[in-house]
C-alpha cells in the first residue's frame, strides 16, 4: 500500500513524501507490458507474437518510469482530497529533499513535494459589523480557474518539449566514463540557453555547457549529473543528454471531474 506522509515545517509550509514499493507499481507495469505484447510490431516476428522477455527488455524501463510517476502524482492528488488539505498553488517536486532516483537498480521510490499550506485561523466578529458585497471581475475568475486547473493537472508525455517541461534521459559529462539516468527541469535553464532545449523529441541528443545552461545553480547541476553540490560547484564543460521521455503537467479539463475534486 502506498505510503504518503505530510511533514509540516511551519504553519504555511510542508513536505509531502510519497513512497512506492514494488507491490504498488508492478501489477500495473506487468499489465501494460502484456498489452504491448499483444500489438507490438518487432522485426523478425509477426505483430503480437514477439516473446514477452523481448518486450520486457525493450519497453519495461519506459513503462516503469511512466507508471511510477503517474502513481506518485495520483497519490498526491488523492491525499490532498481525502485529507481536505487546503494548499496554495500546486505541489512542486522538492529539489532540496528529493533523493536521486535510479530506475535501473531501485525497486522502491521516494518522491518529496513542497506544499504551500493555507493556515487555519479564527476571528471573532464584533457584535456589529459591516457586510460588503464582493464583486468578482472576469480577470479574477479566469486566474482562479487557471490556478485550480494547474493544481489538479495531470502528467502527460508530449512529442516535443516546451517551457516548464521535464526532460528524462541519460546524462553524461564530458570526460566521465558512464552516464546516469536523470531529468532536466526546463524552468531551471537560463533564458539565454533555453532555446536549444525547446522542440526536442525522444531520442534527440543535446550537448550543452552546464555552467552556461544553469549558471550558478549548483543544486540543479548536482541533480542532473548525480553528484554532490560541492562537486557541482567545480563542474565545467559539456554535458551530453540523450532524451528518452518528455514530461509535462497539463491543465485539467474544466469539467465535472475537476469540480468534484475541488469541492468534493
Amino acid at each position: 500500500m502506498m505510503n504518503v506522509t505530510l511533514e509540516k515545517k511551519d504553519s504555511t509550509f510542508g513536505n509531502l513524501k510519497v513512497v512506492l514499493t514494488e507491490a504498488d507499481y508492478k501489477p500495473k507495469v506487468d499489465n501494460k507490458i502484456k498489452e504491448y505484447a499483444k500489438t507490438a510490431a518487432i522485426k523478425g516476428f509477426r505483430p503480437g507474437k514477439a516473446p514477452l522477455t523481448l518486450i520486457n527488455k525493450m519497453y519495461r524501463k519506459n513503462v516503469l518510469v511512466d507508471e511510477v510517476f503517474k502513481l506518485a502524482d495520483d497519490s498526491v492528488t488523492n491525499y490532498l482530497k481525502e485529507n481536505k488539505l487546503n494548499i496554495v498553488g500546486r505541489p512542486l517536486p522538492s529539489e532540496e529533499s528529493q533523493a536521486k532516483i535510479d530506475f535501473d537498480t531501485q525497486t522502491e521510490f521516494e518522491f518529496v513535494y513542497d506544499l504551500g499550506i493555507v493556515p487555519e485561523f479564527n476571528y471573532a466578529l464584533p457584535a456589529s459589523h459591516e457586510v460588503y458585497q464582493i464583486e468578482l471581475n472576469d480577470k479574477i475568475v479566469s486566474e482562479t480557474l487557471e490556478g485550480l486547473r494547474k493544481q489538479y493537472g495531470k502528467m502527460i508525455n508530449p512529442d516535443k518539449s516546451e517551457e516548464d517541461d521535464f526532460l528524462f534521459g541519460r546524462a553524461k559529462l564530458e570526460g566521465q566514463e558512464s552516464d546516469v539516468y536523470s531529468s532536466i527541469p526546463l524552468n531551471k535553464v537560463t533564458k539565454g540557453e533555453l532555446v536549444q532545449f525547446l522542440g526536442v523529441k525522444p531520442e534527440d541528443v543535446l550537448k550543452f555547457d552546464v555552467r552556461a545552461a544553469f549558471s550558478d545553480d549548483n543544486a540543479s547541476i548536482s541533480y542532473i549529473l548525480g553528484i554532490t553540490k560541492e562537486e557541482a560547484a567545480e563542474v565545467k564543460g559539456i554535458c551530453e543528454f540523450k532524451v528518452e521521455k518528455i514530461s509535462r503537467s497539463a491543465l485539467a479539463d474544466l469539467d465535472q471531474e475537476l469540480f468534484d475534486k475541488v469541492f468534493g
Side-chain angles (χ1 to χ4, degrees), residues 115-259:
L115 300 180
I117 303 171
V118 178
E120 295 183 2
F121 68 94
N122 294 307
Y123 178 72
L125 290 173
S128 62
H129 55 273
E130 295 184 46
V131 176
Y132 297 90
Q133 183 66 40
I134 305 299
E135 294 184 3
L136 295 178
N137 58 42
D138 291 341
K139 182 174 182 293
I140 293 176
V141 173
S142 177
E143 289 176 349
T144 301
L145 287 175
E146 183 176 1
L148 290 172
R149 294 177 69 191
K150 285 181 179 179
Q151 180 178 336
Y152 291 93
K154 297 180 180 179
M155 299 303 295
I156 62 172
N157 303 117
D159 295 328
K160 291 185 179 181
S161 63
E162 296 179 1
E163 288 189 51
D164 296 326
D165 287 349
F166 278 78
L167 303 182
F168 289 86
R170 311 294 305 191
K172 182 180 180 182
L173 188 65
E174 191 176 49
Q176 285 185 331
E177 294 184 1
S178 59
D179 58 11
V180 293
Y181 188 79
S182 184
S183 66
I184 299 178
L186 296 193
N187 63 352
K188 296 295 183 181
V189 179
T190 57
K191 294 298 181 183
E193 299 292 319
L194 181 60
V195 64
Q196 64 180 311
F197 293 86
L198 303 181
V200 303
K201 306 180 294 296
E203 301 302 321
D204 284 352
V205 176
L206 298 172
K207 292 185 178 181
F208 57 90
D209 186 304
V210 289
R211 194 55 60 183
F214 296 97
S215 187
D216 293 323
D217 186 0
N218 293 323
S220 292
I221 295 174
S222 166
Y223 177 77
I224 293 165
L225 298 179
I227 57 180
T228 66
K229 289 182 182 178
E230 291 73 22
E231 291 171 331
E234 304 298 325
V235 163
K236 294 180 181 178
I238 303 299
C239 178
E240 184 176 287
F241 189 91
K242 184 176 181 180
V243 180
E244 294 185 3
K245 186 185 72 166
I246 303 165
S247 183
R248 178 181 303 160
S249 179
L251 294 178
D253 293 330
L254 193 60
D255 56 14
Q256 188 62 48
E257 181 182 358
L258 173 62
F259 291 121

Side-chain angles (χ1 to χ4, degrees), residues 1 74-85 261:
M1 186 175 183
D74 290 344
S75 298
V76 171
T77 299
N78 292 336
Y79 182 91
L80 296 177
K81 181 179 179 181
E82 292 170 3
N83 291 274
K84 297 181 172 58
L85 195 62
K261 289 180 179 178

